[in-house]
Amino acid sequence: AKISGKSQARLFDDSMHTEALRRLKLEHYLREANFDRDFEIKLQPIVSLESGAPTGFEVLVRWVSPGLEDVGPDTFIPIAEEIGVMADLGQWILIKSAETLASFDGALGHQRTVLHVNVSKRQILHPQLMPLLIELVDRYPEQRGRLILEITETAVMDRRANLVPRMEAIREIGFPLAMDDFGTGHSSLACLHKFPLDEVKIDRSFILNIEESREFTAIYHAIVSLADHLGLKVVAEGVETEAQLVQLQAMGCAFGQGYLFDRPLSPDDALAFMRRGG
Ligand code: C2E
Ligand code: CA
Ligand code: CA
Ligand code: CA
């Protein structure tokens, strides 16, 4: 027993060591990254649940430098935040999104496509953000109201950070706001009206239960109704099955996003998706 205890401790040490090394490596690569070379954006369709027609896309960043393709944003974005790289990467993502939207407008011959762009809590408060947004509306005035910024529920609800004044300023210059991952934090339905928001995205974890649980269906329905009542656009995240789609339609949920419609796509494939109408 003694021996195995010891070897277990060794194993533990080794894996800690490996983990720490991996983390250091990721930090190093992030610090040294050349954004244009090492990152790409993917676009996942958001569709009308009534007609199936795409309204636009959520922009999702990917790390594409060799050997790092499997490191997802859930892993590298928190690290980028911690080491202070996220403000610059976030800026790159916003500029890339605006350029992509401009090229879509040109290719489609209309200006109805919208893009949802994730912004981290620190990015929202960063002194770089407002000047960039002002520059973007200046350069692309036709995009006013069509670049929607997604902020997680946890960030919105953080009282100490108090994002509300900044959120108001952002909306004022022409960027609508969506609350992301609604239902994962500690906010209640009753709080929704207190924040300057245009949209609510209901977290994927919620939808997983609506097929089996009447309670979840009732809660989901309540969120959809209240958001509707408050004039907020509702997007159901993580729609994977026909059954979920049918239930969402029955609740009157207007928009959805998920593998049922499509995965995050390259900009070219996203444009094709838009062209053929879903
Ligand atoms: P999120 O903002 O909630 O984005 C949705 C995530 O769910 C994406 O993962 C997407 O690929 C995945 N997804 C979409 N539909 C389905 C589905 O039907 N089933 C399942 N199982 N998953 C689905 P991804 O791209 O790995 O991004 C993970 C998280 O990383 C995002 O969650 C967001 O919090 C963050 N993130 C991604 N891109 C950015 C970015 O450009 N900026 C910032 N600040 N955060 C980002
Ligand atoms: Ca999001
Ligand atoms: Ca989300
Ligand atoms: Ca999420």
Side-chain angles (χ1 to χ4, degrees):
K2 218 177 174 185
I3 293 170
S4 89
K6 217 174 173 182
S7 62
Q8 253 179 18
R10 269 263 322 265
L11 257 182
F12 186 61
D13 276 357
D14 281 355
S15 70
M16 292 261 294
H17 187 66
T18 316
E19 209 26 61
L21 260 184
R22 190 177 114 93
R23 160 84 194 209
L24 274 176
K25 238 160 99 183
L26 292 183
E27 283 185 16
H28 173 76
Y29 285 132
L30 276 171
R31 285 210 177 86
E32 301 293 310
N34 170 332
F35 298 148
D36 282 326
R37 181 194 63 197
D38 298 334
F39 291 91
E40 268 177 11
I41 57 168
K42 294 268 180 179
L43 303 170
Q44 188 179 32
I46 297 174
V47 308
S48 155
L49 295 182
E50 209 180 322
S51 67
T55 59
F57 303 90
E58 176 175 2
V59 177
L60 296 160
V61 68
R62 296 289 178 261
W63 203 355
V64 294
S65 41
L68 297 168
E69 304 92 338
D70 293 338
V71 184
D74 273 334
T75 304
F76 69 74
I77 284 176
I79 303 177
E81 284 255 73
E82 264 176 58
I83 65 172
V85 172
M86 197 52 214
D88 287 340
L89 179 57
Q91 177 146 354
W92 180 86
I93 293 165
L94 268 165
I95 294 170
K96 196 88 190 157
S97 301
E99 288 171 358
T100 304
L101 186 54
S103 80
F104 279 22
D105 286 354
L108 293 165
H110 66 68
Q111 301 178 342
R112 295 190 292 272
T113 315
V114 302
L115 290 186
H116 283 236
V117 185
N118 293 287
V119 284
S120 69
K121 183 165 78 186
R122 284 198 207 170
Q123 197 187 344
I124 289 277
L125 293 171
H126 199 279
Q128 234 168 249
L129 181 72
M130 294 306 283
L132 172 66
L133 293 180
I134 289 165
E135 202 186 307
L136 286 178
V137 281
D138 199 51
R139 201 185 315 165
Y140 305 105
E142 74 286 359
Q143 290 186 13
R144 175 177 286 274
R146 297 197 293 140
L147 279 183
I148 297 142
L149 306 190
E150 296 192 2
I151 315 175
T152 62
E153 180 193 17
T154 332
V156 172
M157 299 306 292
D158 185 337
R159 280 174 183 242
R160 266 195 310 171
N162 187 18
L163 302 191
V164 172
R166 182 53 66 87
M167 288 168 70
E168 278 163 353
I170 291 172
R171 283 178 90 208
E172 211 144 292
I173 59 174
F175 295 83
L177 295 178
M179 189 192 262
D180 199 4
D181 301 346
F182 185 73
T184 55
H186 298 284
S187 69
S188 67
L189 278 177
C191 288
L192 258 188
H193 75 280
K194 290 190 195 150
F195 297 99
L197 290 167
D198 302 277
E199 301 188 12
V200 178
K201 297 186 77 177
I202 308 176
D203 194 68
R204 185 166 71 83
S205 58
F206 259 82
I207 210 168
L208 294 175
N209 298 300
I210 66 170
E211 276 167 85
E212 283 107 47
S213 151
R214 276 168 181 267
E215 285 84 2
F216 262 91
T217 310
I219 295 169
Y220 212 104
H221 201 154
I223 298 174
V224 171
S225 314
L226 179 72
D228 241 21
H229 193 76
L230 295 174
L232 300 170
K233 179 173 154 181
V234 186
V235 181
E237 298 195 278
V239 187
E240 292 183 357
T241 69
E242 282 293 336
Q244 290 168 345
L245 173 61
V246 169
Q247 271 189 297
L248 291 168
Q249 285 168 330
M251 291 175 202
C253 183
F255 300 96
Q257 178 181 352
Y259 296 162
L260 178 65
F261 311 112
D262 225 325
R263 304 228 159 207
L265 305 168
S266 70
D268 283 350
D269 290 344
L271 185 59
F273 188 99
M274 202 71 200
R275 275 219 171 92
R276 64 171 192 270

